[in-house]
Amino acid sequence: MNIELTNPTLFRTEAFVNGEWIGADNGARLPVTNPATGALITDVAKTGAAETRRAIAAAETAMLSWRQQPAKQRAQVMRRWFDLIMANQEDLARIMTLEQGKTLAESRGEVAYGASYIEWFAEQAKRIDGDVIPAPSGDKRIICIKQPVGVCAAITPWNFPNAMITRKAAPALAAGCTIVIKPASETPLSALALAELAHQAGIPPGVLNVLAGSSSDIGAELTSNPTVRKLSFTGSTPIGKMLEAQCVPTLKKTSMELGGNAPFIVFDDADIDSAVQGALISKYRNSGQTCVCSNRLLVQAGIAEEFTAKLVAATESLKLGNGLDENVDLGPLVNAKAVNDVHELVQGSISAGAKLVLGGAPSNLGGCFYQPTILTGVRPEMPVFRNEIFGPVAPIISFETEAEAIELANDTEFGLASYFYTRDIGRVWRVAEALEYGIVGINEGIISNEMAPFGGVKESGSGREGSKYGIDDYLEIKYMLMGGLNQ
């Protein structure tokens, strides 16, 4: 398939190991298709455990010199990587839209968002400092330094095929670690393009490696290999739990950014128009396929009718279509199974008594498209309340009091992102502190940026990505006691 890139070197189809492009040992290939059309884009090397072991060995060797480079030099190389990504933003966006389906506008935004983590952590590399701690006696000194944790592994999802890689690779490289990355099988081309630009930027061989292929074979090697000292995963909670268990025998350090069930609360003193726009952005970004999408819209009873009417009108104006086309607001879901899963949640909730206000069915545009959907009369026992929807479906639940809203919002095993709208400063503090979530958006529907710590609580995972805290998971603290100083 001709994908019409300005820089054709970004279209890579082999694995990237130790600075070289390699095929699978057995010659296996993995097809990559366009969810908007179903057309085959290309196929890529389908690697397994043997190739992963070689990548880990290359990362171990490369780390000996990479960790010794002054932080300023690592930062300069990473800055070149950032500059190349931004110089190739349009090509990277086109690759992403072709394999993932999101609109070109969203893809351009993700490329810039992903690059921002490289820029941020390039700067943070120069700020990894330690402490001198008061000693128990005058002839001793206590020093604490921070050192790279070791070879790292990253397993990344298909919904943000660029940013979920840079959010993990950037702090690892800044800390002096090396990394082996396993992208989602649906979206390997974005990962391989990033590897090509890392190579062009001068990141040494073995420091960054990318392998697409068998999730079970690659994942099992990454979790069991004792050389890997840190695993970072973004994906579903069940898979995260499985990977966590697999890391226990070697006691790896882990970061888990898992599922969500984000409440979006609108109180009766809120700016309703602003809340509608926030809900629109939070709910339908990437066609609802983000872990921080508003999953349950909790609206105070006195304004529920007005809010719903305005949300319906705004949603009806959204255009569904191929992400490469102009003026498209929502692209397809990632595959036909995703459409079926979303439709089952919608139909199960309607059968349980929810009212369908808008949409509610697959689109006639093709097998991976689902209509933007709004349900009212939703109750806590319904499937769209209890499950992460991962599609363009907005369930609206009415509540009476602030206490009821908090209870409904926290009625889930997940705790990643949450949102609420109010103009009462007292309520801002009460609700923000009461919500059992790692992230709280207040009068704002977009909460992610490289300067803020991203991560959840409860079964939404552990660890934080981005911000000054994001590099901590890639560092170990070493305590050194110096004695005999008075002799």
Side-chain angles (χ1 to χ4, degrees):
M1 179 179 181
N2 182 9
I3 64 170
E4 301 174 0
L5 299 180
T6 301
N7 182 359
T9 66
L10 299 182
F11 190 62
R12 292 290 186 174
T13 60
E14 307 302 315
F16 188 68
V17 175
N18 202 24
E20 297 181 349
W21 296 100
I22 65 167
D25 289 354
N26 62 3
R29 308 294 291 182
L30 178 71
V32 184
T33 59
N34 182 341
T37 65
L40 177 70
I41 302 171
T42 188
D43 53 47
V44 301
K46 185 179 181 181
T47 57
E51 298 90 342
T52 306
R53 279 193 292 273
R54 292 204 296 276
I56 293 169
E60 182 181 27
T61 300
M63 189 170 165
L64 295 175
S65 58
W66 180 249
R67 68 182 294 171
Q68 295 302 324
Q69 286 198 19
K72 187 173 183 179
Q73 290 184 17
R74 290 199 302 270
Q76 288 170 344
V77 174
M78 291 178 66
R79 179 69 199 201
R80 287 198 295 272
W81 190 22
F82 164 81
D83 289 337
L84 284 171
I85 289 172
M86 293 309 299
N88 289 274
Q89 181 180 17
E90 195 64 26
D91 279 349
L92 293 171
R94 186 170 181 82
I95 290 171
M96 190 188 308
T97 293
L98 280 166
E99 66 177 347
Q100 200 276 337
K102 65 180 62 177
T103 66
L104 270 175
E106 285 199 53
S107 293
R108 292 185 192 105
E110 183 183 335
V111 172
Y113 170 64
S116 71
Y117 284 92
I118 299 173
E119 180 184 42
W120 172 265
F121 283 110
E123 296 162 352
Q124 290 298 106
K126 297 175 285 186
R127 300 181 178 93
I128 300 172
D129 45 28
D131 299 285
V132 177
I133 298 174
S137 60
D139 64 336
K140 298 180 179 64
R141 299 293 186 273
I142 295 174
I143 308 293
C144 289
I145 64 171
K146 296 178 182 178
Q147 294 180 302
V149 67
V151 173
C152 299
I155 300 176
T156 60
W158 50 262
N159 58 340
F160 288 93
N162 177 298
M164 296 303 100
I165 289 174
T166 59
R167 225 162 65 173
K168 302 175 190 304
L173 269 56
C177 300
T178 54
I179 192 165
V180 179
I181 300 164
K182 194 274 176 201
S185 295
E186 294 88 349
T187 56
L189 299 176
S190 291
L192 297 172
L194 284 173
E196 170 61 26
L197 291 176
H199 179 64
Q200 292 180 20
I203 292 177
V207 171
L208 184 143
N209 308 272
V210 178
L211 304 119
S214 168
S215 296
S216 56
D217 291 346
I218 295 174
E221 185 63 34
L222 293 176
T223 56
S224 65
N225 194 307
T227 300
V228 176
R229 297 310 311 149
K230 161 70 192 283
L231 174 76
S232 179
F233 170 71
T234 297
S236 72
T237 295
I239 298 298
K241 290 179 178 179
M242 181 189 74
L243 293 172
E244 190 84 62
Q246 291 175 356
C247 288
V248 167
T250 52
L251 289 178
K252 299 188 195 309
K253 202 169 187 176
T254 61
S255 297
M256 296 285 163
E257 197 265 279
L258 307 177
N261 189 357
F264 187 101
I265 309 170
V266 186
F267 290 101
D268 57 12
D269 65 330
D271 181 326
I272 295 179
D273 291 332
S274 177
V276 167
Q277 287 305 307
L280 202 70
I281 295 169
S282 175
K283 175 67 260 181
Y284 295 117
R285 186 164 61 103
N286 199 17
S287 295
Q289 299 174 113
T290 90
C291 53
V292 295
C293 274
S294 52
N295 209 62
R296 299 165 294 151
L297 277 61
L298 311 177
V299 186
Q300 201 150 17
I303 59 168
E305 185 175 343
E306 181 183 359
F307 176 88
T308 300
K310 289 185 173 182
L311 182 64
V312 169
T315 303
E316 285 177 329
S317 70
L318 298 176
K319 183 179 179 182
L320 189 64
N322 189 326
L324 293 176
D325 294 341
E326 294 292 330
N327 301 317
V328 168
D329 300 299
L330 281 78
L333 301 190
V334 68
N335 53 39
K337 180 183 182 301
V339 172
N340 291 335
D341 290 346
V342 170
H343 193 52
E344 284 185 7
L345 292 176
V346 170
Q347 291 303 308
S349 299
I350 292 172
S351 297
K355 179 184 176 182
L356 178 64
V357 178
L358 185 69
S363 167
N364 58 13
L365 290 175
C368 293
F369 289 91
Y370 199 84
Q371 298 172 0
T373 297
I374 295 176
L375 300 172
T376 59
V378 173
R379 298 189 304 275
E381 67 271 16
M382 294 180 179
V384 289
F385 186 98
R386 303 243 64 93
N387 295 278
E388 186 174 24
I389 301 169
F390 241 61
V393 179
I396 297 177
I397 302 99
S398 178
F399 69 88
E400 295 290 342
T401 66
E402 181 181 307
E404 182 186 1
I406 293 169
E407 182 180 0
L408 287 168
N410 290 338
D411 184 17
T412 174
E413 68 271 29
F414 299 108
L416 184 54
S418 58
Y419 310 84
F420 68 91
Y421 276 69
T422 181
R423 287 188 268 188
D424 182 330
I425 188 63
R427 175 172 279 163
V428 165
W429 282 103
R430 291 193 304 271
V431 176
E433 291 178 353
L435 289 172
E436 297 170 352
Y437 292 84
I439 305 168
V440 183
I442 304 164
N443 296 323
E444 181 58 58
I446 296 291
I447 39 80
S448 299
N449 62 78
E450 76 278 14
M451 295 167 283
F454 188 102
V457 299
K458 300 197 294 190
E459 293 193 21
S460 285
S462 61
R464 293 296 181 269
E465 294 184 325
S467 82
K468 65 178 183 180
Y469 305 107
I471 205 164
D472 291 347
D473 282 341
Y474 297 88
L475 296 167
E476 295 284 14
I477 297 173
K478 179 176 285 184
Y479 149 52
M480 301 184 297
L481 177 65
M482 299 180 182
L485 299 184
N486 292 343
Q487 296 176 1

